[in-house]
Amino acid sequence: MTPRTPRPRERGIPEATVARLPVYLRALQGLNERGTPTVSSEDLAAVAGVNSAKLRKDLSHLGSYGTRGVGYDVDYLIYQISRELGLTQDWSVAIVGIGNLGRALANYGGFGTRGFRIAALLDADAAVVGDRVAGLAVRHIDTLEDVVRGEDVAIGVIATPAAAAQGVCDRFVEAGVTSVLNFAPVVLNVPPGVDVRKVDLSIELQILAFHEQRKSDGHAADRAERTGSPT
Amino acid sequence: MTPRTPRPRERGIPEATVARLPVYLRALQGLNERGTPTVSSEDLAAVAGVNSAKLRKDLSHLGSYGTRGVGYDVDYLIYQISRELGLTQDWSVAIVGIGNLGRALANYGGFGTRGFRIAALLDADAAVVGDRVAGLAVRHIDTLEDVVRGEDVAIGVIATPAAAAQGVCDRFVEAGVTSVLNFAPVVLNVPPGVDVRKVDLSIELQILAFHEQRKSDGHAADRAERTGSPT
DNA sequence: ACGCCCTTGTGAAAGCACGCACAAAGTGGG
DNA sequence: CCCACTTTGTGCGTGCTTTCACAAGGGCGT
Ligand SMILES: NC(=O)c1ccc[n+]([C@@H]2O[C@H](COP(=O)([O-])OP(=O)(O)OC[C@H]3O[C@@H](n4cnc5c(N)ncnc54)[C@H](O)[C@@H]3O)[C@@H](O)[C@H]2O)c1
Ligand SMILES: NC(=O)c1ccc[n+]([C@@H]2O[C@H](COP(=O)([O-])OP(=O)(O)OC[C@H]3O[C@@H](n4cnc5c(N)ncnc54)[C@H](O)[C@@H]3O)[C@@H](O)[C@H]2O)c1
């Protein structure tokens, strides 16, 4: 027995790595569908759009699953990443706010394919409650607690207007949900131990606008000098 | 020319800061609507969900817009951040792929309010082309180049199935678009100078699942031991 | 069986990002 | 006019992330 365990990988995977594992997973699944049996870090990195050294370091946090001189076994790596991400079990998801976005999410097929099950759709509007969306009846928001417990909801998705989001979030947390995905443009306040991730369209557009402006700034002088005609 | 300029703040704002400016902006607009004339870094940071030192350092990259002993003038700071992000001009956006998600995006009111104008909706499906969505007629994908040039599209949004995304992206780039927002679950390949941002639902869920699994792992033993009855 | 060649896994270094803590700067009261 | 108080702007230490570069490891051809 080794008295002082070298601890080749302890239970801490860097957050930046976790965020990239799903990208690798998708790239691997693409390779798998095309029948590729093994892949080198160089090739996989190219498909995933990252630096190969980064890819190798990321994977090294999971263990030594590669073969030197050959690369990684695609099937095996898919399994290992899936296991690490917790995709070998099914997660129940509840969506609150069945408007434009909520309906799109509910109708989106990409959930079920990867271990996520839409367990329930909830809304506050009586005109919406009872509608059938993607094969599920929309339930009233008042049943949230029952739904969370009954369906063992692990992840709550919030697609309500901004004003309602914090309230819905509080109810999710109260009912025991510790992972929330928020589409409403507000900063949610949650107690420690609860994870919130946000998807914010406006922020993405504004970041793009910032860089777009920079590009024009840099060349504006050149362009203005050269051009006599309006843009 | 001065070889070593002191350069109090050069034209480089850290990417992490850029990503937070939209959050600050939204927080400030919220304060503005409630009539708050000035705000301290402490208070604004609380609303924006960040550390106050980080907020101050972020804002310091734009310039010295605060008043010691008082705080920041809300209106003025809104203006400065908007200007820095390039929101004082209007940006034309074209959405390709008018399915579940594309329709939700088109119907989303949050665009126009902040300097983004939906200039065109495009799709390849003859059954969809001609539909009126959010007051715009869906145009055929073949007109993409005309639309980009005619409407001066600065940002292309891709909401097609994954298989079509790279092709649409190439056409955007070819037509001169240098900012792309991608909702399809693929890594887009673009030449240097083109910015791509992606919004990927599955990745967010998988990251949540990872942490959720960790939480259970840690406490699973405890819980299983202790629990016979529900809480 | 052996050695060549390819690819992994990982030290080490450089680059960012974060947050503390405090001097500088400005306000408002006396 | 001056002082006490508040809050900004930032220097600095710390930790995380990325990237380079290469030794160690393993397959494959001969
Ligand atoms: N549509 C988009 O493309 C888009 C893009 C980015 C962000 N968002 C954000 O996503 C959210 C939803 O957008 P949307 O376009 O679907 O809005 P929407 O108005 O179409 O839908 C909102 C739904 O939430 C329901 N709702 C309201 N209050 C509720 C409550 N307290 N509990 C439960 N349900 C409640 C409403 O009945 C409605 O069905 C908004 O916060 C919006 O800012 C939407
Ligand atoms: N719906 C969601 O909530 C959701 C969530 C996450 C990701 N996504 C992704 O967003 C994308 C769109 O999802 P969706 O649910 O709206 O799909 P959808 O099938 O409802 O819509 C796709 C649309 O794209 C059009 N299209 C196909 N090929 C095209 C081409 N070459 N040029 C132009 N248009 C083309 C189709 O005609 C269709 O109208 C997909 O890549 C999906 O994976 C969707």
Side-chain angles (χ1 to χ4, degrees):
Chain A
M1 279 183 280
T2 48
R4 53 205 182 319
T5 330
R7 199 169 316 225
R9 61 196 175 87
E10 66 183 76
R11 278 276 166 235
I13 295 183
E15 193 55 33
T17 295
V18 173
R20 282 187 296 264
L21 289 180
V23 179
Y24 303 154
L25 183 56
R26 187 133 56 204
L28 285 163
Q29 284 162 341
L31 291 171
N32 197 38
E33 279 162 25
R34 264 174 303 179
T36 315
T38 63
V39 66
S40 70
S41 64
E42 200 70 47
D43 293 351
L44 181 54
V47 177
V50 300
N51 178 302
S52 71
K54 180 150 64 181
L55 174 82
R56 287 198 299 277
K57 183 146 284 186
D58 282 343
L59 294 183
S60 77
H61 286 115
L62 314 190
S64 274
Y65 299 137
T67 308
R68 293 169 190 234
V70 176
Y72 300 89
D73 183 274
V74 173
D75 280 327
Y76 187 53
L77 199 50
I78 287 175
Y79 168 73
Q80 289 298 345
I81 295 179
S82 297
R83 194 182 46 74
E84 196 66 52
L85 287 174
L87 305 182
T88 48
Q89 60 189 288
D90 266 24
W91 299 99
S92 284
V93 177
I95 302 175
V96 177
I98 311 304
N100 291 311
L101 186 58
R103 277 164 207 272
L105 295 174
N107 281 313
Y108 179 47
F111 278 102
T113 61
R114 320 255 189 248
F116 298 95
R117 186 178 68 88
I118 300 185
L121 309 177
L122 300 161
D123 204 293
D125 187 344
V128 174
V129 172
D131 280 12
R132 289 217 145 247
V133 177
L136 281 173
V138 176
R139 304 176 62 170
H140 194 274
I141 184 70
D142 284 350
T143 65
L144 185 143
E145 286 75 13
D146 295 336
V147 166
V148 167
R149 297 203 174 97
E151 300 281 351
D152 197 25
V153 169
I155 299 175
V157 174
I158 299 177
T160 65
Q166 182 65 59
V168 171
C169 178
D170 291 345
R171 292 184 66 176
F172 265 135
V173 171
E174 186 69 23
V177 173
T178 55
S179 291
V180 173
L181 181 55
N182 177 35
F183 286 87
V186 282
V187 177
L188 293 179
N189 235 312
V190 292
V194 177
D195 283 312
V196 176
R197 295 193 66 87
K198 70 163 187 283
V199 173
D200 193 320
L201 196 45
S202 304
I203 288 182
E204 300 302 325
L205 286 176
Q206 289 173 22
I207 294 172
L208 286 173
F210 171 84
H211 292 297
E212 195 64 33
Q213 180 180 234
R214 283 291 162 102
K215 292 176 203 164
S216 328
D217 277 2
H219 304 298
D222 302 356
R223 284 237 211 93
E225 293 299 314
R226 280 193 277 99
T227 316
S229 53
T231 315
Chain B
M1 282 182 275
T2 50
R4 60 232 184 291
T5 330
R7 201 167 317 224
R9 65 194 172 85
E10 67 181 77
R11 277 273 166 236
I13 296 183
E15 194 55 34
T17 295
V18 173
R20 282 186 295 265
L21 289 180
V23 179
Y24 303 154
L25 183 56
R26 187 134 57 206
L28 285 163
Q29 285 162 342
L31 291 171
N32 197 37
E33 279 161 24
R34 264 174 301 179
T36 315
T38 63
V39 67
S40 70
S41 64
E42 201 70 47
D43 292 350
L44 181 54
V47 177
V50 300
N51 177 301
S52 70
K54 180 151 63 181
L55 174 83
R56 288 197 298 278
K57 185 153 286 186
D58 282 343
L59 294 183
S60 77
H61 287 115
L62 313 190
S64 273
Y65 298 137
T67 307
R68 292 171 192 233
V70 176
Y72 300 90
D73 182 275
V74 173
D75 281 327
Y76 187 55
L77 197 51
I78 287 176
Y79 169 72
Q80 288 297 345
I81 294 179
S82 297
R83 192 181 48 73
E84 196 66 50
L85 287 173
L87 305 182
T88 47
Q89 59 189 290
D90 267 23
W91 299 99
S92 283
V93 176
I95 303 176
V96 177
I98 311 304
N100 291 312
L101 186 58
R103 277 163 206 271
L105 296 175
N107 282 314
Y108 179 49
F111 278 104
T113 62
R114 320 257 189 247
F116 298 94
R117 185 178 68 88
I118 299 186
L121 309 177
L122 301 162
D123 203 292
D125 188 344
V128 174
V129 172
D131 280 12
R132 290 217 145 248
V133 178
L136 280 174
V138 177
R139 304 176 61 172
H140 194 276
I141 184 69
D142 284 349
T143 66
L144 186 143
E145 287 75 12
D146 295 336
V147 166
V148 168
R149 297 201 175 98
E151 301 280 351
D152 198 24
V153 169
I155 299 175
V157 174
I158 299 178
T160 65
Q166 182 66 59
V168 171
C169 178
D170 291 345
R171 293 184 65 175
F172 266 136
V173 171
E174 185 70 23
V177 173
T178 54
S179 291
V180 173
L181 181 54
N182 178 35
F183 287 87
V186 283
V187 176
L188 292 179
N189 233 312
V190 292
V194 176
D195 282 311
V196 175
R197 295 193 67 86
K198 71 164 186 285
V199 173
D200 195 320
L201 196 44
S202 304
I203 288 182
E204 300 302 324
L205 286 176
Q206 288 174 20
I207 294 172
L208 286 173
F210 171 84
H211 292 297
E212 195 63 31
Q213 178 180 237
R214 284 290 163 103
K215 290 176 205 164
S216 330
D217 276 2
H219 304 297
D222 302 356
R223 283 237 210 93
E225 293 299 314
R226 277 193 279 102
T227 315
S229 56
T231 312

